[in-house]
C-alpha cells in the first residue's frame, strides 16, 4: 500500500476544498450551475442568501463576487479541477 503520492495527496486536498466550497455556497442543493474559468468558479445558485463568504474564504477563496444569483469564487489555478469535483457531487 505504501505512502500516498504527491498526486494522491493533492487530489484529496482538492476534494476536501471542493466540499468546503460547496458548503460555503449553501450546499449542493443550492447550486444550479458551476464551471471553472481560469482562476474562478462561476456559479449560479438558487438562494444567494445561503452563500457564506467567510466560509468560502476559509476554504481558500481569495475573493467572492456576488451579482444576484451569479456567484464568482476566486480560488486560483485550481478552479477547473475543483469545478469538476463539484460537478461530480451534483
Amino acid at each position: 500500500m505504501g505512502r500516498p503520492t504527491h498526486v494522491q495527496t493533492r487530489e484529496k486536498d482538492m476534494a476536501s476544498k471542493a466540499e468546503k466550497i460547496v458548503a460555503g455556497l449553501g450546499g449542493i442543493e443550492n447550486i444550479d450551475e458551476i464551471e471553472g474559468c481560469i482562476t474562478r468558479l462561476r456559479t449560479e445558485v438558487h438562494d444567494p442568501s445561503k452563500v457564506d463568504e467567510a466560509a468560502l474564504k476559509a476554504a481558500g477563496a481569495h475573493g467572492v463576487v456576488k451579482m444576484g444569483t451569479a456567484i464568482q469564487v476566486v480560488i486560483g489555478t485550481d478552479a477547473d479541477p475543483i469545478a469538476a469535483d463539484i460537478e461530480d457531487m451534483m
Side-chain angles (χ1 to χ4, degrees), residues 18-32 34 43-56 64 66 71 73 86:
E19 290 169 358
K20 291 175 185 174
I21 289 170
V22 165
L25 289 170
I28 205 75
E29 65 283 347
N30 195 45
I31 301 171
D32 293 331
I34 190 156
T43 66
E44 189 72 34
V45 297
H46 179 70
D47 182 354
S49 71
K50 292 182 178 180
V51 175
D52 183 344
E53 287 187 53
L56 290 168
V64 178
K66 289 182 170 182
I71 311 295
V73 184
I86 294 171

Side-chain angles (χ1 to χ4, degrees), residues 9-87:
T9 302
R10 180 170 163 79
E11 286 174 358
K12 184 178 178 186
D13 289 346
M14 291 229 283
S16 174
K17 191 172 190 176
E19 290 169 358
K20 291 175 185 174
I21 289 170
V22 165
L25 289 170
I28 205 75
E29 65 283 347
N30 195 45
I31 301 171
D32 293 331
E33 280 182 47
I34 190 156
E35 69 175 309
C37 183
I38 305 173
T39 61
R40 297 173 183 237
L41 293 174
R42 293 179 183 231
T43 66
E44 189 72 34
V45 297
H46 179 70
D47 182 354
S49 71
K50 292 182 178 180
V51 175
D52 183 344
E53 287 187 53
L56 290 168
K57 288 182 179 177
H62 303 291
V64 178
V65 179
K66 289 182 170 182
M67 297 164 289
T69 59
I71 311 295
Q72 291 185 15
V73 184
V74 183
I75 58 171
T77 56
D78 290 337
D80 286 327
I82 289 174
D85 288 344
I86 294 171
E87 285 175 340

Side-chain angles (χ1 to χ4, degrees), residues 1-10 12:
M1 186 159 201
R3 296 178 63 189
T5 66
H6 175 70
V7 171
Q8 289 170 323
T9 302
R10 180 170 163 79
K12 184 178 178 186

